[in-house]
């Protein structure tokens, strides 16, 4: 499955995955766009509530996240198209062969089991995750699960492995880039686990695995596929272990 080239854009070469045309100024611009994107998403959600009535908490959180990502990635798209005339998806390595995608999807549960075993060895504490508060109906469970295996992996891999990691690789080499790109990825999930260092460490290891696959294959799409089924495996395990606390279908 290959990403298409935008009309009028300069084709992406393989060297751009280790020597990207973008720089740290673009990273600053992208980070700076997060607050305006959040403000726009908030305004859109308020407008939606005025037109359609107040949505449920789960719907509000997920729609807010969807809109914020949309506006934020719109800024990244503008950086590629306006500053460099480069296609968005191809520049970020969003392409992979079908066999590679299948292998990546199959590796997700394997990685999840490996991380779970490491968590058992580290004796990670049981934490009441905030996600439980969103799972107040069968529909909300389906929505959260859908976002966890689609929007989340796609957006996170585009940012950390597609945009940030090639920049770090050019500066300090692949090994350090994989580790350093995994650090903010892990910290992003810290609040979900009460900043438990064991959980943050395990998420960082998973992020490093996603980064290794991106480096080994050159494909952010493959990393997202691995991430998606990794999340799916953990979400399925969460539902199995917390089933008695969740609303029934």
């Amino acid at each position: 499955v290959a990403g298409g080239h935008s009309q009028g854009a300069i084709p992406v070469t393989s060297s751009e995955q280790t020597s990207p045309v973008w720089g740290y100024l673009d990273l600053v611009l992208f980070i700076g766009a997060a607050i305006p994107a959040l403000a726009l998403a908030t305004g859109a959600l308020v407008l939606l509530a005025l037109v359609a009535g107040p949505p449920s908490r789960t719907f509000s959180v997920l729609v807010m996240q969807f809109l914020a990502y949309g506006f934020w990635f719109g800024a990244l798209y503008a950086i590629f198209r306006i500053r460099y005339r480069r296609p968005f998806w191809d520049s970020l390595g969003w392409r992979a062969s079908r066999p590679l995608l299948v292998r990546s999807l199959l590796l997700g549960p394997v990685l999840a089991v490996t991380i779970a075993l490491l968590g058992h060895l580290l004796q990670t504490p049981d934490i009441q995750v905030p996600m439980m508060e969103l799972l107040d109906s069968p529909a909300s469970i389906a929505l959260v699960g859908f976002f966890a295996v689609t929007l989340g992996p796609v957006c996170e891999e585009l940012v950390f492995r597609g945009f940030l990691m090639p920049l770090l690789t050019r500066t300090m080499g692949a090994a350090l880039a994989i580790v350093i790109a995994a650090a903010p990825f892990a910290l992003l999930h810290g609040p979900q686990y009460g900043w438990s260092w064991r959980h943050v460490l395990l998420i960082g290891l998973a992020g490093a695995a996603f980064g290794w696959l991106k480096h080994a294959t050159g494909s952010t799409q493959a990393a997202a596929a691995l991430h998606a089924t990794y999340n799916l495996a953990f979400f399925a395990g969460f539902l199995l272990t917390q089933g008695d606390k969740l609303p029934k279908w």
Side-chain angles (χ1 to χ4, degrees):
V1 180
H5 293 285
S6 301
Q7 186 175 6
I10 299 172
V12 177
T13 63
S14 59
S15 65
E16 288 185 22
Q17 291 306 308
T18 53
S19 298
V21 295
W22 60 94
Y24 285 99
L25 174 59
D26 301 301
L27 178 62
V28 171
L29 291 173
F30 180 52
I31 294 172
I35 294 178
L38 187 60
L40 287 170
T42 302
L45 189 62
V46 169
L47 182 61
L48 178 64
L50 291 175
V51 173
S56 67
R57 182 181 178 186
T58 302
F59 186 79
S60 296
V61 170
L62 295 179
V63 169
M64 180 76 170
Q65 185 178 17
F66 179 81
L67 292 172
Y69 274 142
F71 289 125
W72 198 32
F73 277 89
L76 186 59
Y77 178 85
I79 289 173
F80 280 106
R81 296 297 293 129
I82 295 173
R83 284 174 60 82
Y84 301 108
R85 290 184 57 242
R86 289 301 198 271
F88 177 81
W89 294 99
D90 271 4
S91 295
L92 294 175
W94 194 258
R95 53 190 179 275
S97 66
R98 184 164 296 177
L100 175 58
L101 282 180
V102 171
R103 289 196 298 269
S104 302
L105 290 168
L106 293 176
L107 282 173
V110 176
L111 178 61
V113 170
T114 303
I115 295 295
L117 290 174
L118 288 174
H120 179 72
L121 292 175
L122 286 174
Q123 298 181 339
T124 52
D126 291 329
I127 293 175
Q128 185 71 17
V129 294
M131 182 175 65
M132 283 291 294
E133 300 177 5
L134 299 179
L135 305 179
D136 54 6
S137 69
S140 68
I141 294 173
L143 278 174
V144 170
F146 177 76
F147 272 71
V149 300
T150 55
L151 182 68
V154 169
C155 291
E156 289 171 359
E157 292 311 308
L158 285 173
V159 171
F160 294 107
R161 260 61 69 173
F163 184 64
L164 176 60
M165 207 176 88
L167 200 57
L168 297 172
T169 299
R170 183 180 67 190
T171 305
M172 58 194 68
L176 275 177
I178 289 170
V179 173
I180 293 175
F185 169 76
L187 294 174
L188 177 68
H189 295 81
Q192 299 176 21
Y193 297 95
W195 292 108
S196 162
W197 71 266
R198 293 175 180 86
H199 286 90
V200 172
L201 174 62
L202 292 171
I203 295 168
L205 290 175
F210 305 149
W212 173 84
L213 184 63
K214 164 62 194 302
H215 172 69
T217 65
S219 172
T220 307
Q221 193 177 89
L226 173 64
H227 192 163
T229 51
Y230 168 88
N231 281 7
L232 177 61
F234 267 110
F235 190 71
F238 173 81
L239 294 181
L240 288 173
T241 57
Q242 303 293 324
D244 58 331
K245 302 176 184 178
L246 297 173
K248 305 302 179 185
W249 291 83

